[in-house]
Amino acid sequence: MSTLLEVSGISVTFDGFRAINNLSFRIGEAELRAIIGPNGAGKTTFMDIVTGKTRPDEGRVIWGEKNVSLLKMSESQIARQGIGRKFQRPTVFEDQSVFDNLLMALKNDRGPFAVLTYRRSAEDADKVRALAEEIGLKAELPRKAGELAHGQKQWLEIGMLLAQEPRLLLVDEPAAGMSPAEREHTTALLVEAAKTRAVVVVEHDMEFVRRLGCKVTVFHEGSVLAEGSLDHVTANKDVIDVYLGR
Ligand SMILES: Nc1ncnc2c1ncn2[C@@H]1O[C@H](COP(=O)(O)OP(=O)(O)OP(=O)(O)O)[C@@H](O)[C@H]1O
Ligand SMILES: [Mg+2]
């Protein structure tokens, strides 16, 4: 599998505290990866670095087949490279319908040949319906986003990110506050999304991680402590000591 993102030897210090410590990480195209680890291990900070929100003091962040450095890019330039991020609080437009939320999120630069507006809008409507199907909100398309249940709002936001056609999707604790049924649906959605793009999921819920059925990277004190299948990492003594045996 060819590498999509390669992070090597990054470190970040906040007020003398090393939140990320010589961390290296790589993910391939169309790969699903879970990141686990104790509170304060640096999982969110890692995502902040990839998206350009936080700059590392050292190390490299290399993207795509052209091996471009993300470190010189602004947050919006990085987003335009095809890196989407889901935050914990959904940022949907509550007064707009689910349909309109997805429509607004569509990537709409189809160049000089997209001159036939009516045709483009028909295409867009098809895309919106396909996205709604993918996130399980087809029946909710006419509803106002503000009326959706917590889990449904999260899925809508994932749908809005998918509408941007990212090559890498970063998702931080998607299952927080969800019911067991919502969690299951979220897992299925992320597994599906990762068939055509890379998806990195930070999550504390081990059942959730097990259902993802993917390679797991364990962070601890700003570094990678272990990596491999969930069974492999959960059998690791260091992982048990610092995370599972809490
Ligand atoms: N902007 C910041 N300024 C100062 N310290 C920070 C900043 N961002 C993160 N930290 C510290 O860096 C460490 C790593 O935090 P981070 O949020 O990345 O952990 P995490 O693995 O996401 O934890 P959790 O599982 O609780 O979400 C923590 O000790 C945190 O307090
Ligand atoms: Mg975090």
Side-chain angles (χ1 to χ4, degrees):
M1 188 163 17
S2 63
T3 301
L4 180 63
L5 175 77
E6 175 138 35
V7 170
S8 46
I10 52 168
S11 296
V12 177
T13 302
F14 296 119
D15 308 319
F17 174 75
R18 219 164 225 248
I20 297 287
N21 184 13
N22 192 26
L23 181 123
S24 297
F25 178 95
R26 55 175 280 181
I27 187 164
E29 311 256 7
E31 182 181 348
L32 178 60
R33 179 75 60 85
I35 297 178
I36 63 173
N39 297 116
K43 305 179 296 295
T44 299
T45 305
F46 165 73
M47 289 190 169
D48 290 343
I49 289 169
V50 173
T51 54
K53 189 175 169 220
T54 296
R55 300 291 166 182
D57 305 322
E58 53 193 292
R60 300 191 309 156
V61 181
I62 304 294
W63 169 255
E65 45 285 292
K66 289 183 182 148
N67 295 319
V68 296
S69 170
L70 297 182
L71 294 179
K72 297 176 192 82
M73 293 188 198
S74 67
E75 282 183 76
S76 58
Q77 283 175 319
I78 291 172
R80 268 181 270 130
Q81 291 288 314
I83 299 182
R85 177 178 193 179
K86 165 137 181 28
F87 289 93
Q88 230 169 301
R89 283 177 67 92
T91 51
V92 301
F93 298 99
E94 304 253 330
D95 291 334
Q96 306 284 330
S97 67
V98 170
F99 185 95
D100 286 343
N101 267 279
L102 289 170
L103 187 67
M104 284 183 286
L106 281 184
K107 193 172 173 178
N108 253 328
D109 50 356
R110 272 187 231 105
F113 298 107
V115 284
L116 296 169
T117 324
Y118 74 91
R119 195 158 143 197
R120 189 179 66 194
S121 52
E123 258 176 45
D124 284 353
D126 286 347
K127 276 198 175 181
V128 165
R129 280 188 283 271
L131 278 165
E133 175 96 62
E134 193 175 348
I135 58 177
L137 291 182
K138 212 165 184 189
E140 322 296 333
L141 278 171
R143 287 182 66 195
K144 278 194 178 172
E147 296 169 5
L148 298 177
H150 169 75
Q152 292 176 317
K153 273 187 203 169
Q154 302 278 353
W155 305 331
L156 175 56
E157 200 186 10
I158 292 172
M160 290 165 73
L161 287 165
L162 294 178
Q164 300 281 310
E165 298 174 14
R167 295 179 67 194
L168 170 64
L169 186 59
L170 304 170
V171 192
D172 202 352
E173 301 195 35
M178 285 191 180
S179 69
E182 287 175 333
R183 281 166 198 247
E184 263 186 57
H185 179 76
T186 306
T187 335
L189 202 163
L190 294 171
V191 168
E192 187 61 33
K195 286 180 181 166
T196 48
R197 64 183 64 74
V199 178
V200 177
V201 186
V202 168
E203 188 50 65
H204 285 290
D205 177 349
M206 283 300 149
E207 267 316 299
F208 189 97
V209 173
R210 182 166 297 283
R211 274 197 310 270
L212 288 175
C214 64
K215 189 169 174 180
V216 177
T217 303
V218 186
F219 281 23
H220 175 57
E221 293 179 348
S223 305
V224 172
L225 182 65
E227 194 167 78
S229 70
L230 185 62
D231 287 336
H232 172 80
V233 299
T234 53
N236 180 304
K237 189 177 179 305
D238 295 334
V239 175
I240 294 168
D241 286 350
V242 306
Y243 186 49
L244 302 169
R246 291 176 297 174

